[in-house]
């Protein structure tokens, strides 16, 4: 079946520049990070086909919350996180995909069997996806393909449109209303304290991650102590994970919300954000906050926050939290030069 779907994929350079009005993006994954990493593709579509509308096939509520209000998004088709437990709901959503006629359907993730099967179910004149079997005529999609996950689907669309020469990459993006941003600033000021004449930058820290990506409490203790020695002016806000328990020793200011848009609005008001490799790290980057990701596993090139003021840092357990704090302080000096200069001359 997968080979048959591969045979129906659009060859490189064959996608027309016009006549594409109804678009389906398939990314059936429930993780917050993978959802946010879809936003560069949405921005690329909005640039190339500004008069089109987009349906997103996803898993879980994150895509609906973050992308539902986008002007060009028509529908969010969310599959249950556990299809086996909710088979009838899942089948109903897949029928919804099947009933629609699309001009273009995109499987946004390489090596995703669920995304490829959803692509195969769709009725679309043009179908895009990385080859899962012998590439053959689709080999062009694999040539010069970026390592970073957020860039790969953009590369896929550009190669299909015969536009390999495009420069720059769309950054992550979550569109927030001005009222949301204002409320986020108010909430942040209440948590971190309103800035005075000599108040330092507000640095959000998210110490949680899944599995082997999570640093122990002792590591964070060393990190916070060393960071305060290097930059005592920094006001640290502990961004709590969904379980609501603090994992940052000695942190007094904390913010908690299970509403992703409220969380994004507060992150947008921060001067910088430091996090282990996780979805909240990508969410901070997507609202324009300078973001530094800490990577314990060798996955930095694939998932680091990219952009002019963002960075990924290989921070192993062996080197300790104090060494990472020094690198974070250096990065913050560069990421927030105006605020740093104000503090130095106060």
């Amino acid at each position: 079946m997968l080979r048959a779907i591969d045979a129906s994929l659009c060859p490189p350079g064959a996608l027309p520049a016009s006549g594409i009005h109804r678009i389906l993006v398939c990314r059936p994954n429930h993780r917050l990070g993978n959802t946010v990493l879809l936003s560069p593709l949405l921005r690329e579509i909005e640039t190339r086909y500004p008069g089109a509308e987009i349906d997103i096939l996803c898993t879980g509520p994150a895509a609906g919350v973050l992308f539902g209000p986008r002007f060009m998004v028509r529908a969010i088709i969310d599959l249950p996180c556990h299809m086996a437990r909710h088979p009838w709901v899942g089948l109903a959503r897949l029928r919804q995909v099947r009933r629609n006629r699309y001009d273009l359907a995109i499987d946004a993730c390489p090596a995703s069997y669920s995304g490829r099967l959803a692509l195969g179910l769709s009725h679309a004149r043009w179908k895009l996806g990385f080859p899962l079997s012998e590439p053959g005529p689709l080999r062009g999609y694999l040539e010069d393909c970026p390592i970073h996950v957020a860039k790969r689907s953009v590369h896929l669309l550009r190669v299909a449109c015969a536009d390999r020469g495009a420069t720059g990459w769309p950054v992550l993006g979550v569109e927030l209303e001005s009222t949301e941003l204002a409320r986020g600033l108010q909430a942040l000021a209440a948590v971190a304290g309103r800035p005075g004449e000599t108040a330092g930058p507000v640095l959000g820290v998210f110490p949680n991650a899944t599995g082997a990506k999570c640093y122990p409490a002792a590591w964070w203790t060393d990190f916070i102590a060393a960071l305060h020695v290097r930059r005592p002016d920094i006001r640290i806000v502990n961004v709590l994970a969904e379980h609501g328990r603090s994992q940052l020793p000695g942190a007094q200011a904390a913010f908690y919300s299970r509403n992703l848009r409220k969380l994004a609005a507060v992150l947008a008001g921060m001067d910088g954000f430091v996090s282990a490799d996780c979805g909240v790290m990508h969410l901070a980057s997507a609202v324009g906050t300078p973001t530094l990701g800490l990577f314990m596993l060798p996955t930095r090139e694939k998932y680091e926050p990219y952009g002019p003021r963002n960075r990924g840092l290989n921070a192993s357990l062996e080197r300790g939290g104090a060494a990472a704090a020094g690198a974070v302080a250096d990065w913050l000096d560069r990421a927030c030069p105006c605020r740093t200069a104000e503090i130095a001359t106060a």
Side-chain angles (χ1 to χ4, degrees), residues 182-258:
R183 294 295 298 273
L185 283 173
Q186 292 174 1
L188 184 60
V191 170
R194 297 188 180 277
E197 294 182 357
T198 60
V202 175
L203 180 69
V205 177
F206 187 77
N208 189 54
T210 57
K213 298 184 293 183
C214 190
Y215 293 90
W219 191 95
W220 287 109
T221 299
D222 295 341
F223 173 85
I224 295 298
L227 188 60
H228 275 310
V229 170
R230 177 73 179 271
R231 288 291 300 269
D233 60 306
I234 289 177
R235 295 176 289 159
I236 294 177
V237 175
N238 180 12
V239 179
L240 302 182
E242 188 175 8
H243 52 60
R245 298 185 300 274
S246 176
Q247 297 170 275
L248 197 62
Q252 301 300 318
F255 179 79
Y256 175 74
S257 178
R258 284 177 286 185

Side-chain angles (χ1 to χ4, degrees), residues 57-329:
L57 177 68
C58 60
T59 303
V65 174
L66 298 177
F67 301 143
R70 292 180 85 99
F71 182 75
M72 289 180 61
V73 172
R74 183 191 75 97
I76 304 290
I77 306 169
D78 57 320
L79 299 173
C81 292
H82 302 284
M83 284 281 287
R85 299 180 187 175
H86 309 281
W88 303 119
V89 175
L91 288 173
R93 303 286 164 77
L94 291 174
R95 285 197 203 98
Q96 184 179 346
V97 172
R98 190 78 173 158
R99 283 196 301 267
N100 286 295
R101 299 282 176 173
Y102 296 102
D103 299 309
L104 172 64
I106 304 173
D107 176 10
C109 180
S112 169
Y113 294 116
S114 56
R116 185 52 47 88
L117 291 173
L119 185 73
L121 285 174
S122 67
H123 288 296
R125 289 193 299 124
W126 303 95
K127 297 182 180 182
L128 294 187
F130 289 96
L132 293 180
S133 54
E134 176 59 36
L138 303 175
R139 188 177 301 278
Y141 289 122
L142 304 179
E143 296 173 355
D144 301 320
C145 185
I147 296 176
H148 200 286
V149 172
K151 298 177 181 179
R152 288 181 181 176
S153 56
V154 176
H155 168 82
L156 178 73
L157 182 56
R158 289 178 176 179
V159 173
C161 295
D163 190 14
R164 288 181 177 272
T167 58
W169 298 96
V171 296
L172 305 182
V174 173
E175 298 177 355
L176 297 174
E177 300 288 343
S178 58
T179 53
E180 292 177 300
L181 292 171
R183 294 295 298 273
L185 283 173
Q186 292 174 1
L188 184 60
V191 170
R194 297 188 180 277
E197 294 182 357
T198 60
V202 175
L203 180 69
V205 177
F206 187 77
N208 189 54
T210 57
K213 298 184 293 183
C214 190
Y215 293 90
W219 191 95
W220 287 109
T221 299
D222 295 341
F223 173 85
I224 295 298
L227 188 60
H228 275 310
V229 170
R230 177 73 179 271
R231 288 291 300 269
D233 60 306
I234 289 177
R235 295 176 289 159
I236 294 177
V237 175
N238 180 12
V239 179
L240 302 182
E242 188 175 8
H243 52 60
R245 298 185 300 274
S246 176
Q247 297 170 275
L248 197 62
Q252 301 300 318
F255 179 79
Y256 175 74
S257 178
R258 284 177 286 185
N259 184 301
L260 291 177
R261 294 190 72 84
K262 291 180 181 179
L263 175 59
V266 170
L267 295 177
M270 295 177 175
D271 296 289
F273 189 76
V274 175
S275 171
D277 174 22
C278 64
V280 179
M281 174 190 75
H282 295 302
L283 185 62
S285 175
V287 294
T289 298
T291 303
L292 187 143
L294 303 173
F295 289 81
M296 193 186 314
L297 302 179
T299 56
R300 180 178 61 83
E301 288 187 278
K302 290 179 63 177
Y303 293 106
E304 68 178 340
Y306 71 92
R309 297 185 294 171
N310 298 335
R311 184 187 169 193
L313 176 67
N314 291 324
S316 64
L317 286 177
E318 292 75 16
R319 292 189 62 192
V328 169

